[in-house]
Amino acid sequence: MGVLFGRRWATLAGLGTGFGRERDGVAGSTRTRKSSGGEGGDIRRLVIVESPTKARKIASYLGSNFVVESSRGHIRDLPRGAADVPVKFKGQAWARLGVDVDHDFEPLYVVSADKKSLVTELKEALKDVDELYLATDGDREGEAIAWHLLETLKPKVPVRRMVFHEITESAIQAAAANPRDLDQDLVDAQETRRILDRLYGYEVSPVLWKKVMPKLSAGRVQSVATRLVVERERERMKFVSASYWDISAQMDAGADAAPRQFGARLVAVDGTRLATGRDFGSDGKLTGKADVVVLDEAQARAIAAGLENAPVKVSSVEEKPYTRKPYPPFMTSTLQQEAGRKLRFSADRTMRTAQKLYENGYITYMRTDSTTLSETAINAARTQATDLYGAQYVSDKPRQYTRKVKNAQEAHEAIRPAGEVFRTPGQVAAELDSDEFKLYEMIWQRTIASQMADARGNTTSIRIQGRAGTGQDVTFAASGRTITFAGFLKAYVETVDAEAGGESDDAESRLPLLVKDQDLTIAELSADGHTTSPPSRYTEPSLIKTMEELGIGRPSTYSSIISTIQDRGYVWKKGAALVPSWVAFAVVGLLEQHFGRLVDYDFTAALEDELDGIAAGRQGRTNWLSGFYFGGSVGPDGSIGRSGGLKKLVGTGVEDIDPRAVNSIPLFSDDEGRTVVVRVGRFGPYLEREVDEAAQRANLPDDLAPDELTSEIAEKLFSTPQEGRSLGTDPVSGNEIVAKEGRFGPYVTEVLPEPAENGTAKSKAKAPKPRTGSLFKSMALDTITIDDALKLLSLPRVVGKDPETGAEITAQNGRYGPYLKKGTDSRSLTDEAQIFTVTLEEALKIYSEPKKRGRAAAAPPLREMGNDPVSGKPMVIKEGRFGPYVTDGEANASLRKTDSVESITDERAAELLAEKRAKGPVKKKAPAKKPAAAKKPAAKKAPAKTKS
């Protein structure tokens, strides 16, 4: 390993690089040598970026006197483990941390083995150039990578920092012509975060190993994010549902009304408001402030019966205009949230896709806290919106969004399409894969919409009164919304979170024109029962939104944090919802009870403020780290620093923590008053209660969410014998066959004879393993028979051999369902029963067909239409890669935003196909021919291509 201590000023002050210095009369001075984007002079420059993709793209925009190389991310870091610590430091007390806490928190950086050859190549490349340009990303992490490169390469030539926020020719050439100095405050801030996270993880994680289970990890932000998910699950577990009833009605306004009928709901009886879900607390009881009447089923049905043929009339009509302003352009957090809602992308998938779009020059830098747009971008968006939708749909004045989130990093521009003129999704479709296209289209739409006019409309609230046959006065309410001018909604509508519910901004509900005292008739009545629901689980978008609102972590790290808490087993997904594991309950409980400040939301947010103070130069790195670790006057009252520091907090009282108490999560009492708990053990969580002074235990299925573990389910699990339900004996082997509930679901297995007691450990290790088989979805533990079990244990079933290749074909059951396997080629079967019935002939037929990707069969058309007047062939609407489209088998045309599958006419479909034919086929760029590689020394790189 290459070893370097973090003495950051050594390079700047002592190595004579000229970084950030304008030196007259010195060889290699940047003042006397001029160059701009590859024009003029014979100065050769080495440009270093983070990724090969970025390097290739940038090289195409610079002249032949630029050599562009990639560092492939970070080239050095703190030691990952004891093996990485150099021999001369292994005896040091701080070596395990990789940070010398007693000497100004000096970090020990090592160049990883897989980067040593790269460092050698970069040093060789430096020998042939006159200047070094560090062109890593313009945020904290990018600044730190640039500094690490400077410290490791120790260049003897002038060094400058080249920064840009989009990869276009003009942006790259402008950045090359206007380099800046290294921002030392940003480097300090990033290094402080790295050291802080190392101190936190290495001090706290060992406590979890001792008290919960080995190999767990704690993190400054990951532990707080896990706590959020656990707290939401606790709320769901404690939640007591309440029931209430109301009445829905269809009102008839008469033959002349449009629409004639509309929906209304009972809201008051005898002047007292009817209870709705928001009037109940989490305990299932009415809140103290609620002055409402709660109807039960009998009362609701009695009122409904009493309203049959009862006259009702309009008591009030209130109409108000409303205006909806456009959404701001995307920043990192809102892009992750909306991609999660609209595209069903995870935060990690969103950021990986955005990274590719940025590096290939399609969008601006995707890690940003800013919603501002440059003047060039505003003009591009306004021009394109005018061209596409007309001048009336563009705002009178340019819109500038200045919203900044708490703990914002650097003020980059918002995420938008790159360039001075935005390319439409249609223009880039042939160049992008599916994920890239979907994300680019969303970014493009949002950017265009941000410069468009407000949406305008009207909201209407109607009250309808009558008297039931029971003598009670009743009030119904109806509300409507109409959009009179779509404005920005023509271009973009934000998606509503599926878990939280709500109505989208373009949703309309029309009411007829009504006046006060107008008579109505009741066309239909229905007494409806409702129950309150617990708070929705977090999804990735909603967790990101909450973390951002609380000021926890940085938006640029949210995707990695969410991935980490899933990879570490603290959180798993059920659909889109994030569900905490029982291990997460134990870890969060330990941290809350014994190290509360480490997972306190306010203190964690305050920590971000302090770190931002270092980035702004208001706070010294060493003094702050010393105060945080050893204790000192850093942070607000009650903070970790003012409470004695992290070392004292974690080092005292650990031995007094009771592991059994930490790993016991009380649930409820059973019918006999016995407490049922979940124990987190070394081999996973399990249920436990005390019966006759002995512990009764039961396995917990891995896919059972904590809030779904009811007393009824617990009793069922307790009633399942740990040793399994005996099904009978295998007539061939004579072994007992049992059905069991396991961590990964129900299964059957055979009970093998105990090995001889005098056997060696080696012979016992070679003893045969029992056969096992997971139950099919159609089977249940309490009903499975010995015949079913023997069939499961017989799998995989040999179907036969391929007559052409001689390869054996087997039928088996897997994680994703039943399938055939021939060598490495697998094909899905339609159902589980087919595993035992599929013949060799049928299997060969399946293998003779082209292998299907994704769904087993092509989806049927969404709608069939008439014949196209040009081709004479029938037109159909299909669901495609980029949404619904119309096709006649010869031409395909995407439906526009204003077209709907249900209402599009034959004429409109034919019009879209005609437009598509008029445009002609999409011209794809021919791949550039690669010149023959010239022989050259291995250590030297070819210069970048000259831009013609």
Side-chain angles (χ1 to χ4, degrees):
M1 291 279 181
V3 185
L4 287 168
F5 267 97
R7 303 284 185 189
R8 68 168 50 80
W9 296 110
T11 300
L12 300 184
L15 293 178
T17 64
F19 196 112
R21 306 254 199 270
E22 297 290 350
R23 301 180 298 168
D24 294 323
V26 180
S29 167
T30 56
R31 167 174 282 185
T32 56
R33 297 185 180 185
K34 298 181 180 179
S35 175
S36 60
E39 296 295 334
D42 296 324
I43 300 173
R44 284 178 57 79
R45 297 178 177 86
L46 173 63
V47 180
I48 302 179
V49 297
E50 302 100 317
S51 77
T53 302
K54 195 173 170 184
R56 287 191 295 271
K57 193 71 176 178
I58 289 172
S60 68
Y61 296 139
L62 295 173
S64 58
N65 56 337
F66 284 86
V67 177
V68 186
E69 294 290 354
S70 164
S71 69
R72 303 188 190 104
H74 288 274
I75 60 168
R76 67 176 192 171
D77 196 3
L78 299 173
R80 287 171 293 185
D84 289 349
V85 177
V87 175
K88 66 177 180 179
F89 297 115
K90 284 186 181 292
Q92 302 292 332
W94 53 267
R96 161 181 89 84
L97 278 173
V99 179
D100 189 350
V101 296
D102 295 319
H103 294 87
D104 295 336
F105 291 83
E106 199 65 52
L108 172 65
Y109 290 115
V110 295
V111 178
S112 58
D114 60 338
K115 291 293 178 75
K116 291 185 73 174
S117 61
L118 174 64
V119 170
T120 300
E121 290 176 15
L122 293 176
K123 285 183 175 180
E124 285 296 320
L126 267 172
K127 294 178 181 179
D128 298 325
V129 298
D130 304 300
E131 290 181 351
L132 172 62
Y133 276 25
L134 300 173
T136 51
D137 291 338
D139 56 9
R140 275 192 287 256
E141 186 169 6
E143 209 74 14
I145 293 174
W147 176 74
H148 281 296
L149 284 166
L150 183 64
E151 288 278 306
T152 305
L153 299 178
K154 294 181 170 57
K156 300 297 190 296
V157 297
V159 184
R160 301 307 303 273
R161 184 80 168 91
M162 177 176 161
V163 180
F164 43 87
H165 303 310
E166 62 179 356
I167 302 178
T168 60
E169 184 170 8
S170 59
I172 296 305
Q173 292 193 351
N178 300 282
R180 65 162 172 83
D181 298 341
L182 188 76
D183 189 327
Q184 200 60 51
D185 288 333
L186 285 184
V187 174
D188 270 351
Q190 183 62 23
E191 189 174 27
T192 304
R193 286 172 183 272
R194 184 70 188 95
I195 294 171
L196 171 63
D197 289 339
R198 173 56 64 97
L199 295 175
Y200 189 116
Y202 272 50
E203 292 289 355
V204 181
S205 295
V207 179
L208 304 183
W209 304 342
K210 293 176 184 177
K211 303 300 180 180
V212 183
M213 65 170 59
K215 299 182 180 180
L216 295 178
S217 71
R220 176 174 59 90
V221 179
Q222 81 172 49
S223 296
V224 179
T226 303
R227 185 190 175 201
L228 282 168
V229 180
V230 168
E231 280 199 329
R232 179 58 56 87
E233 197 72 10
R234 287 172 179 164
E235 292 174 18
R236 292 175 62 87
M237 293 167 72
K238 292 177 181 177
F239 187 83
V240 178
S241 184
S243 63
Y244 60 96
W245 284 70
D246 62 12
I247 299 172
S248 59
Q250 279 295 112
M251 299 293 179
D252 192 324
D256 295 333
R260 176 170 179 165
Q261 291 189 357
F262 61 95
R265 189 166 290 278
L266 182 67
V267 294
V269 176
D270 288 333
T272 303
R273 184 171 65 83
L274 234 61
T276 61
R278 66 175 181 271
D279 296 312
F280 296 91
S282 60
D283 58 358
K285 299 177 181 178
L286 288 172
T287 58
K289 298 178 182 178
D291 181 17
V292 295
V293 58
V294 181
L295 294 184
D296 59 23
E297 181 177 3
Q299 291 170 319
R301 293 194 184 282
I303 294 173
L307 284 170
E308 292 289 345
N309 301 317
V312 292
K313 65 171 55 181
V314 177
S315 59
S316 68
V317 178
E318 186 178 359
E319 188 170 317
K320 293 180 179 179
Y322 83 91
T323 300
R324 179 70 170 87
K325 294 185 179 300
Y327 322 103
F330 284 125
M331 54 185 177
T332 304
S333 60
T334 53
L335 178 68
Q336 292 172 356
Q337 292 172 50
E338 183 68 346
R341 292 188 296 253
K342 190 179 289 289
L343 306 179
R344 299 290 187 265
F345 284 7
S346 66
D348 178 66
R349 183 178 174 186
T350 298
M351 294 309 291
R352 280 188 285 106
T353 305
Q355 179 85 35
K356 288 192 287 184
L357 288 172
Y358 165 67
E359 290 184 346
N360 285 290
Y362 292 102
I363 63 171
T364 53
Y365 191 54
M366 67 288 163
R367 294 186 182 92
T368 174
D369 301 307
S370 175
T371 54
T372 60
L373 290 174
S374 66
E375 185 177 343
T376 300
I378 290 174
N379 290 336
R382 291 175 64 82
T383 299
Q384 205 158 57
T386 302
D387 293 342
L388 291 170
Y389 303 105
Q392 71 274 26
Y393 281 94
V394 181
S395 63
D396 294 336
K397 296 179 180 178
R399 294 184 185 271
Q400 191 59 273
Y401 301 85
T402 56
R403 174 181 177 270
K404 294 290 292 298
V405 300
K406 188 176 182 181
N407 297 329
Q409 204 181 155
E410 314 67 49
H412 297 153
E413 197 177 351
I415 303 170
R416 62 166 176 84
E420 297 179 0
V421 177
F422 300 159
R423 289 194 285 174
T424 66
Q427 290 172 320
V428 301
E431 305 167 18
L432 304 178
D433 66 25
S434 177
D435 281 6
E436 292 166 353
F437 177 85
K438 289 175 183 177
L439 196 65
Y440 180 84
E441 181 182 46
M442 194 175 78
I443 293 168
W444 176 83
Q445 290 172 336
R446 180 92 163 210
T447 307
I448 298 300
S450 73
Q451 294 303 312
M452 293 177 68
D454 296 346
R456 299 189 298 273
N458 296 304
T459 58
T460 306
S461 296
I462 297 173
R463 288 291 186 270
I464 303 161
Q465 289 189 331
R467 173 165 287 194
T470 56
Q472 294 163 300
D473 291 325
V474 296
T475 303
F476 285 84
S479 59
R481 181 171 71 173
T482 57
I483 298 172
T484 56
F485 178 71
F488 74 93
L489 296 175
K490 275 270 192 182
Y492 190 79
V493 180
E494 195 168 76
T495 302
V496 176
D497 193 302
E499 292 286 324
E503 193 175 59
S504 65
D505 288 329
D506 63 342
E508 291 187 278
S509 55
R510 291 186 173 275
L511 292 176
L513 291 175
L514 301 173
V515 295
K516 189 175 183 296
D517 296 328
Q518 182 174 339
D519 291 327
L520 303 173
T521 57
I522 301 176
E524 186 179 330
L525 284 166
S526 174
D528 302 327
H530 308 275
T531 56
T532 55
S533 300
S536 300
R537 288 193 181 97
Y538 284 111
T539 59
E540 287 196 17
S542 61
L543 182 60
I544 288 169
K545 183 179 181 182
T546 299
M547 292 175 68
E548 182 183 48
E549 290 171 347
L550 292 174
I552 295 168
R554 295 293 321 117
S556 59
T557 64
Y558 288 161
S559 64
S560 63
I561 290 299
I562 290 175
S563 295
T564 297
I565 63 177
Q566 292 179 75
D567 294 343
R568 302 284 165 84
Y570 291 139
V571 171
W572 54 281
K573 275 191 172 182
K574 186 172 186 178
L578 298 173
V579 183
S581 66
W582 291 111
V583 173
F585 273 78
V587 168
V588 169
L590 183 153
L591 294 174
E592 287 174 334
Q593 294 170 38
H594 302 280
F595 311 107
R597 292 181 183 87
L598 296 181
V599 287
D600 182 273
Y601 302 137
D602 291 334
F603 285 139
T604 304
L607 204 61
E608 292 291 345
D609 290 334
E610 295 166 48
L611 291 169
D612 286 339
I614 296 172
R618 298 189 303 268
Q619 186 93 257
R621 178 184 75 94
T622 302
N623 289 338
W624 187 88
L625 282 170
S626 178
F628 175 82
Y629 189 68
F630 292 115
S633 300
V634 295
D637 291 340
S639 66
I640 294 171
R642 294 182 185 274
S643 302
L646 179 68
K647 187 174 179 63
K648 178 182 176 182
L649 180 67
V650 177
T652 57
V654 172
E655 297 306 320
D656 297 330
I657 298 174
D658 181 5
R660 183 174 177 81
V662 165
N663 291 294
S664 301
I665 300 107
L667 297 179
F668 39 71
S669 296
D670 63 14
D671 293 340
E672 297 184 29
R674 298 170 298 199
T675 301
V676 178
V677 300
V678 170
R679 302 268 191 220
V680 176
R682 175 166 292 188
F683 302 107
Y686 58 91
L687 274 181
E688 184 179 280
R689 67 181 173 189
E690 192 172 296
V691 178
D692 298 330
E693 299 184 356
Q696 182 185 21
R697 297 187 174 95
N699 289 325
L700 276 174
D702 275 8
D703 60 353
L704 181 65
D707 81 319
E708 296 171 4
L709 181 51
T710 62
S711 57
E712 292 79 11
I713 291 177
E715 288 298 335
K716 183 178 179 181
L717 293 172
F718 278 127
S719 66
T720 304
Q722 291 289 97
E723 63 275 9
R725 182 170 76 88
S726 179
L727 302 178
T729 302
D730 182 352
V732 176
S733 67
N735 295 330
E736 182 186 11
I737 307 299
V738 296
K740 289 186 173 185
E741 182 69 61
R743 285 182 61 197
F744 306 106
Y747 67 101
V748 293
T749 186
E750 62 182 335
V751 181
L752 299 179
E754 290 291 330
E757 290 186 8
N758 58 357
T760 64
K762 190 173 183 180
S763 65
K764 289 180 180 179
K766 289 184 177 180
K769 303 295 182 184
R771 294 172 294 159
T772 61
S774 295
L775 268 63
F776 287 172
K777 293 177 182 177
S778 57
M779 298 175 177
L781 270 180
D782 54 352
T783 58
I784 188 171
T785 66
I786 182 66
D787 292 335
D788 295 330
L790 292 174
K791 280 186 176 182
L792 294 175
L793 294 176
S794 70
L795 296 178
R797 168 179 164 255
V798 177
V799 178
K801 290 187 176 182
D802 186 330
E804 293 184 6
T805 64
E808 188 176 74
I809 301 174
T810 59
Q812 41 196 301
N813 196 31
R815 182 180 178 185
Y816 302 107
Y819 66 100
L820 292 172
K821 186 173 184 182
K822 181 176 68 171
T824 58
D825 191 355
S826 300
R827 304 295 175 96
S828 296
L829 293 172
T830 55
D831 57 59
E832 294 168 331
Q834 200 177 5
I835 294 176
F836 300 111
T837 61
V838 64
T839 64
L840 178 60
E841 184 181 0
E842 290 169 338
L844 292 173
K845 184 179 179 182
I846 292 172
Y847 274 105
S848 69
E849 298 171 354
K851 191 166 185 177
K852 297 182 177 73
R853 301 288 179 184
R855 294 174 182 170
L862 300 176
R863 185 180 164 200
E864 295 181 356
M865 309 191 72
N867 292 339
D868 177 64
V870 176
S871 67
K873 295 184 177 180
M875 299 180 293
V876 294
I877 306 294
K878 290 188 174 183
E879 184 64 54
R881 180 180 173 192
F882 307 122
Y885 66 97
V886 60
T887 181
D888 64 347
E890 295 181 355
N892 301 335
S894 297
L895 270 61
R896 307 291 190 266
K897 281 283 181 184
T898 52
D899 300 320
S900 72
V901 175
E902 296 78 14
S903 61
I904 188 171
T905 63
D906 288 356
E907 292 76 15
R908 174 61 176 160
E911 179 186 345
L912 291 173
L913 290 175
E915 289 178 2
K916 183 68 175 178
R917 292 189 188 98
K919 290 180 181 178
V922 177
K923 294 180 179 179
K924 295 187 178 181
K925 293 181 179 178
K929 293 182 179 179
K930 294 182 180 180
K935 291 184 179 180
K936 57 189 177 190
K940 295 184 180 180
K941 299 288 182 179
K945 295 177 182 178
T946 303
K947 184 73 178 176
S948 57

